[in-house]
């Protein structure tokens, strides 16, 4: 066991513990804007679907029910503009983090294989490579990477942590380059529903992929759009030649989305109104926090989408974390996401209206 854990970095969030204690000591309590975990209620129609499926004594299937696959294919076509999506093009997963962490292993990658991800990125891309004993590297422009031995290329648009959105033309160029060199491309699109000053586009859009899903897979989650982080509900969509062997591996591993969660996902994907309502909540919080941070002397970069504001005061991110903790506000240091974030903090929009108002007042 130690041989596996020794491959991994220190769990970054543990480093925030003393700053969380400082923030919690504020007379009016902590405003936790560090982890992007939803705080608003699960929409009622989703809760009802979960309860209605509660009597599920049998094992669920890894591939999900036909109704779940119908819901996923329908959403992918309706929302992302994808075409000719069949059940073979989709695969439910038990939350997107599980998929990201274990994908290189499930793809059979190992020593000598390379995994690449953005310069500022979700730390689990690196963790997945480490678990597989594969090599890993960060990029600014993936098409400048050496393609030799590069087996898995991660895109992330909208970005966590920066909120940057890759335009359609750039996605098209990257997809073409990856195909030219036979590199498998996975696009993490979990924040796609949360575009503010940009309209995020999926790699599944025919204007990006030329009408073919060869060599590309998109990752989507219901955690943010539907407040279902506690349900562990996500899915893949893309190349059947990639998804079919993943399905077989996941059958052997028992990686099954619970049956009640599958029913909840169907309800969530078939309803767009609750997504609109939640977007409005986040948009209002974003406006308040953005204005307060700017007035407090911060500069905000990117942040045109996602659930975060990528902010800097031109100092060490830990100095900024300390500065805000003394005001009872907890944020994530930018170096959690790579050395390039050393002077930034990530400010989440995931706090109640009351707590956001408290943060604004303190700033």
């Amino acid at each position: 066991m130690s041989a596996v854990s020794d491959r991994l970095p220190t769990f970054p969030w543990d480093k925030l513990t003393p700053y969380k204690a400082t923030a919690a000591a504020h007379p009016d309590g902590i405003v936790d804007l560090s982890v992007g975990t939803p705080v608003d209620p699960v929409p009622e129609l989703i809760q009802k679907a979960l309860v209605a499926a509660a009597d599920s004594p049998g094992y669920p299937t890894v591939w999900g029910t036909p109704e779940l696959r119908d819901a996923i294919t329908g959403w992918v076509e309706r929302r992302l503009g994808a075409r000719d999506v069949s059940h073979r093009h989709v695969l439910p997963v038990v939350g997107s983090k599980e998929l990201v962490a274990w994908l290189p292993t499930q793809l059979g990658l190992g020593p000598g294989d390379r995994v690449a991800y953005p310069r500022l990125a979700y730390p689990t891309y690196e963790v997945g490579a480490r678990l597989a004993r594969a090599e890993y590297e960060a990029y600014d422009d993936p098409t400048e990477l050496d393609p030799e031995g590069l087996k898995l290329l991660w895109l992330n648009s909208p970005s966590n942590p920066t909120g940057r959105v890759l335009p359609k033309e750039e996605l098209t160029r990257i997809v073409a380059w990856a195909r030219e060199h036979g590199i498998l491309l996975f696009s993490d699109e979990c924040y796609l529903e949360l575009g503010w000053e940009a309209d995020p586009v999926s790699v599944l859009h025919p204007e990006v992929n030329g009408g073919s899903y060869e060599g590309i897979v998109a990752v989507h989650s219901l955690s943010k759009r539907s407040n279902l982080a506690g349900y562990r509900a996500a899915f893949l969509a893309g190349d059947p030649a990639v998804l079919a062997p993943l399905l077989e591996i996941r059958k052997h591993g028992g990686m099954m989305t619970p049956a009640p969660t599958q029913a909840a996902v169907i309800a969530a994907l078939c309803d767009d109104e609750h997504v609109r309502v939640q977007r409005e909540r986040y948009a209002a919080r974003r406006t308040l926090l953005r204005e307060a941070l700017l007035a407090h002397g911060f500069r905000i970069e990117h942040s045109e989408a996602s659930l975060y504001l990528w902010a800097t005061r031109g100092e060490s991110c830990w100095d900024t974390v300390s500065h805000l903790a003394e005001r009872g506000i907890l944020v994530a240091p930018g170096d959690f996401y790579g050395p390039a974030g050393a002077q930034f903090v990530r400010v989440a929009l995931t706090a109640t209206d009351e707590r956001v108002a408290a943060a604004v007042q303190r700033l």
Side-chain angles (χ1 to χ4, degrees):
M1 286 300 296
S2 63
V4 176
S5 61
D6 286 348
R7 296 180 214 157
L8 302 178
T10 302
F11 189 62
W13 295 98
D14 291 344
K15 300 177 185 177
L16 266 185
T17 300
Y19 300 93
K20 186 172 185 178
T22 297
H26 190 280
D28 187 35
I30 188 173
V31 179
D32 193 343
L33 306 178
S34 60
V35 182
T37 186
V39 297
D40 299 303
V42 173
E44 186 176 0
L45 84 161
I46 300 175
Q47 293 190 46
K48 287 182 176 178
L50 184 83
V51 171
D55 186 14
S56 298
Y59 290 111
T61 63
V62 172
W63 203 16
T65 63
E67 293 78 14
L68 174 60
R69 299 196 298 271
D70 282 343
I72 294 172
T73 57
W75 183 85
V76 165
E77 291 192 342
R78 183 180 80 252
R79 179 62 182 85
L80 305 184
R83 298 288 178 266
D84 302 319
V85 181
S86 71
H87 286 194
R88 297 184 311 114
H89 293 90
V90 301
L91 177 63
V93 295
V94 192
S96 58
K97 184 169 186 175
E98 168 262 307
L99 181 278
V100 173
W102 293 107
L103 179 64
T105 299
Q106 292 176 11
L107 291 173
L109 304 189
D113 297 324
R114 291 165 50 232
V115 176
Y117 46 81
R119 182 78 57 196
L120 286 162
Y122 185 43
T124 312
Y125 303 136
E126 178 186 326
V127 167
R130 284 175 176 253
L131 286 170
R133 293 192 177 94
E135 298 174 15
Y136 50 89
E137 62 186 292
Y139 64 77
D140 294 309
D141 180 347
T143 66
E144 295 177 355
L145 293 166
D146 179 359
E148 184 66 29
L150 182 57
K151 298 297 179 65
L152 174 60
L153 174 64
W154 279 107
L155 298 185
N156 180 208
S157 176
S159 162
N160 173 17
T162 69
R164 180 188 175 206
V165 173
L166 297 177
K168 186 187 299 181
E169 297 74 21
E170 188 165 353
L171 287 172
T172 303
R173 178 177 65 86
I174 295 169
V175 167
W177 179 84
R179 283 177 172 166
E180 177 187 352
H181 296 286
I183 299 164
L184 177 59
L185 187 155
F186 265 67
S187 180
D188 180 347
E189 303 175 351
C190 290
Y191 295 91
L192 186 136
E193 296 271 28
L194 298 167
W196 312 115
E197 295 155 1
D199 187 13
V201 179
S202 171
V203 295
L204 301 181
H205 195 286
E207 292 181 14
V208 172
N209 61 42
S212 167
Y213 302 115
E214 179 185 357
I216 59 172
V217 177
V219 182
H220 283 271
S221 168
L222 285 87
S223 294
K224 313 303 197 237
R225 72 184 293 279
S226 300
N227 299 335
L228 296 188
Y231 284 46
R232 308 316 302 136
F235 60 88
L236 308 179
D239 190 345
V242 177
L243 299 187
L246 284 179
L247 173 59
E248 293 306 311
I249 292 166
R250 295 174 69 83
K251 284 180 181 178
H252 284 290
M255 295 178 172
M256 301 172 283
T257 303
T261 294
Q262 292 189 31
V265 170
I266 294 168
L269 290 178
C270 293
D271 177 74
D272 295 329
E273 176 61 17
H274 77 277
V275 180
R276 184 193 66 77
V277 171
Q278 188 60 44
R279 274 181 53 87
E280 289 185 355
R281 290 189 185 116
Y282 284 137
R285 294 167 186 164
R286 179 181 183 273
T287 298
L288 290 171
L289 285 170
R290 188 176 187 278
E291 291 177 355
L293 287 167
L294 291 173
H296 197 75
F298 281 85
R299 186 178 81 253
I300 295 173
E301 291 192 2
H302 297 301
S303 307
E304 60 262 32
S306 84
L307 276 180
Y308 313 106
L309 293 168
W310 187 239
T312 181
R313 298 199 329 152
E315 62 186 6
S316 162
C317 60
W318 289 100
D319 288 343
T320 306
V321 168
S322 176
H323 172 81
L324 292 174
E326 290 168 0
R327 287 152 182 79
I329 302 168
L330 189 68
V331 298
D335 66 4
F336 277 11
Y337 309 94
Q343 291 194 338
F344 286 80
V345 294
R346 193 193 73 169
V347 183
L349 310 180
T350 49
T352 64
D353 292 344
E354 184 274 330
R355 288 289 83 189
V356 167
V360 169
Q361 183 180 33
R362 296 173 195 181
L363 289 169

